[in-house]
Amino acid sequence: MRVADGVPTALLEPSAVPAAVHGLKAAGFALLVDLTAFDSPERAKRFDVVYLFHRFADAKRVRLQIAVGERDAVPTITPEFPGANWYEREVYDLFGVRFQGHPDLRRILMPDDWLSHPLRRDHPLGGEVVDYGPARPREAVAPLMFPEGTER
Amino acid sequence: MSDVTTTLPPHETMLLNMGPQHPSTHGVLRLLLELDGELVVDAHPDIGFLHTGIEKSCEYRTFHQAITLTDRIDYLSPYSNNLAYVLAVEKLFGVRAPDRARWLRVLLAELHRIGSHLVWLGTTAMDLAASSVLIYCFREREEILRLMELLSGVRMMTSFIRIGGLPADAPPEFLDGARRFLDGLPAHLEEYDALIKDNPIFRQRMVGIGTISTGDAVAYGLTGPNLRANGVAYDVRRAAPYEVYPELEFDVITETGGDAYSRYRVRRREIDESIRICKQVLDRLPEGPIRIDDPTVAYPARQLIHTSMESLIHHYKLATDGPIPPAGEAHVSVESPRGDYGCFVVANGTNLPQRVRFRTPSFSAIQALPLIVRGGMVADAIAALASIDFVLGEVDR
């Protein structure tokens, strides 16, 4: 347990998430404020999935954070928090983190036939093939490295 | 022929595509309605049409440059977006804006809340075919936009905020104009109440329509007026106060119906509370600087750039490299007109953020939409849709 920006933060293994979330809900943390992720491609477990919960009674907040690799799957928390459904879909869509047991893990913001996960840090800004012509198989976006300082 | 009818499932439903281009979606939302005659059996929202990758774009902007992107998320209350982002970055730096700036920020946020609720009131009435309300509401909102133009030169996307304060002080004409506007507004609000509050058609279309249980509302993460219409007094301005809200007197408005009419009442009464807050700010606005004096974070005063070489260098470094916060994470929630609007910033010790995340209340509201429209008529779906006050720009970001 550590404290990041004033919010108690528990660093967990992915497998510990359902039990932790169940415990939080039982302790009155009824509102899932946010579920998101961020990417640190230099690490083997490159994604951090972050859950933020709120308790109405005393306005306390608690954060759960798990580190996952590209091949790992995170247990879904939709049975406890049905509202997590779209948040997990968004993380899947933009980062490619898979959620095990999710009822409907589809893309949500990007087009259904999109191939890459745009919020990964090694995904370039721009450079997508935009196809206005008749339907053709879309080319995969090449995994370019960061443009050095050019995109400020 | 008889074969076909006997092999059909007993309750055949029809799929109706509402949107992406439909006037009542106020943006680009595709809603797939599953209908049994006129009854809505289920709804499947399809979002993403307005996805512009703002979070990705932020990763390629310095911490200052990203401010202008945040306006575009919820374009009806751009100041809440600005505030959440800048407060998160200030939290990373560990700095706090000077008092005058913190009071002025509250004033601007509340003026935008009034403007946003007025747009909501007008467009909702229009969706229910009472188009004159829209004209009146926009008349008052126009005054707010004029004030913003007077203050910042821009009507809607003001970005009138900087890390560590404000770009400039508010001119006396702005403060006088704001006071005049706030003095005149209650009389206009009474006119709107006379038009719709007890209007039998308006009540028929709103009372008991689009209900959601309190349990579902919390489970699906509804916040803001949509949650307070269910009697849950959750307001970030009180639950996790930011800026000078702890020093201000105002009530957290709740209603208990959980239906479209309760949401209308909550927003309508919140305008009164916002007027109260704005007047307190105007009465108690302290004098003093509007930006912190820290050349690694905030721009030096404009006149210093012409007289001080040091300030010129600081200005140049802030404009090119931008400020560099220490590595870390910060989440700040603010109460936008639509609810708990959160900004989560991850800094990695460089001048560009590693991740900027916006948690937007409309995203949760649209997710809960099937629960809200299920079991009603198609026409009620329009009223229910209008009552949850979503902005597609912040759903898709």
Side-chain angles (χ1 to χ4, degrees), chain B residues 152-342:
Chain B
S152 67
V154 188
R155 285 161 56 83
M156 285 178 73
M157 311 295 170
T158 54
S159 292
F160 194 75
I161 197 164
R162 295 291 180 272
I163 298 163
L166 296 175
D169 205 346
E173 309 90 75
F174 168 80
L175 298 174
D176 293 344
R179 192 178 285 280
R180 262 200 311 280
F181 166 72
L182 293 165
D183 286 340
L185 187 58
H188 291 304
L189 292 173
E190 278 172 30
E191 293 171 9
Y192 309 152
D193 288 348
L195 265 175
I196 54 175
K197 186 183 165 208
D198 295 316
N199 181 322
I201 303 176
F202 187 76
R203 284 184 63 95
Q204 270 180 13
R205 295 292 309 272
M206 300 288 268
V207 176
I209 301 299
T211 48
I212 185 168
S213 72
T214 308
D216 283 341
V218 173
Y220 276 81
L222 284 191
T223 49
N226 294 331
L227 184 61
R228 291 194 286 274
N230 280 71
V232 181
Y234 172 60
D235 186 323
V236 184
R237 294 176 291 177
R238 284 285 185 241
Y242 50 95
E243 299 303 36
V244 294
Y245 283 110
E247 298 177 41
L248 294 165
E249 277 178 32
F250 67 96
D251 296 327
V252 175
I253 304 293
T254 54
E255 294 275 339
T256 49
D259 59 354
Y261 193 75
S262 299
R263 288 174 212 131
Y264 152 69
R265 288 307 296 161
V266 168
R267 294 201 180 89
R268 168 63 191 81
R269 290 169 60 201
E270 275 189 14
I271 300 181
D272 295 339
E273 296 303 314
S274 289
I275 296 173
R276 242 174 105 189
I277 295 173
C278 289
K279 285 191 167 167
Q280 290 174 60
V281 173
L282 288 170
D283 289 340
R284 297 171 58 187
L285 186 63
E287 294 296 325
I290 42 93
R291 262 203 311 277
I292 53 167
D293 185 18
D294 183 344
T296 58
V297 179
Y299 286 106
R302 185 77 208 170
Q303 60 273 20
L304 282 179
I305 297 169
H306 303 299
T307 53
S308 147
M309 193 65 212
E310 284 266 289
S311 297
L312 183 64
I313 294 167
H314 290 315
H315 186 275
Y316 176 79
K317 290 299 281 181
L318 280 175
T320 51
D321 286 350
I324 301 174
E329 301 144 33
H331 178 104
V332 170
S333 283
V334 303
E335 183 73 17
S336 98
R338 270 154 282 284
D340 183 329
Y341 181 99

Side-chain angles (χ1 to χ4, degrees), chain A:
Chain A
M1 185 75 91
R2 68 186 181 115
V3 175
D5 80 68
V7 180
T9 302
L11 301 171
L12 299 177
E13 287 298 313
S15 56
V17 166
V21 167
H22 182 79
L24 282 175
K25 198 175 180 188
F29 288 90
L31 181 72
L32 173 71
V33 178
D34 201 3
L35 193 172
T36 187
F38 60 93
D39 179 17
S40 316
E42 66 279 2
R43 295 192 329 222
K45 290 191 169 184
R46 60 187 287 187
F47 301 113
D48 285 281
V49 181
V50 185
Y51 305 75
L52 186 62
F53 297 93
H54 182 89
R55 180 160 64 191
F56 293 121
D58 53 1
K60 285 272 185 304
R61 289 191 167 190
V62 165
R63 186 182 284 141
L64 303 182
Q65 192 164 335
I66 54 174
V68 288
E70 228 165 309
R71 303 254 163 241
D72 302 341
V74 184
T76 180
I77 63 164
T78 45
E80 297 280 350
F81 288 90
N85 187 322
W86 278 22
Y87 286 85
E88 291 182 351
R89 276 178 69 187
E90 187 184 330
V91 170
Y92 162 73
D93 185 5
L94 302 180
F95 290 95
V97 175
R98 284 175 303 114
F99 288 87
Q100 207 165 26
H102 190 285
D104 182 26
L105 198 63
R106 287 179 292 131
R107 286 189 179 274
I108 184 163
L109 293 176
M110 302 300 288
D112 287 340
D113 57 351
W114 199 262
L115 290 175
S116 55
H117 300 287
L119 269 185
R120 290 187 174 187
R121 290 285 282 168
D122 45 14
H123 189 283
L125 184 70
E128 292 87 357
V129 183
V130 180
D131 186 0
Y132 297 105
R136 268 184 289 147
R138 189 194 292 272
E139 292 169 48
V141 176
L144 297 181
M145 286 316 291
F146 265 98
E148 283 284 340
T150 50
E151 293 284 353
R152 282 178 193 175

Side-chain angles (χ1 to χ4, degrees), chain B residues 24-45:
Chain B
S24 79
T25 60
H26 302 291
V28 200
L29 168 71
R30 176 164 170 248
L31 195 61
L32 209 57
L33 293 177
E34 212 175 313
L35 302 179
D36 182 7
E38 273 287 293
L39 275 178
V40 178
V41 180
D42 206 353
H44 308 276

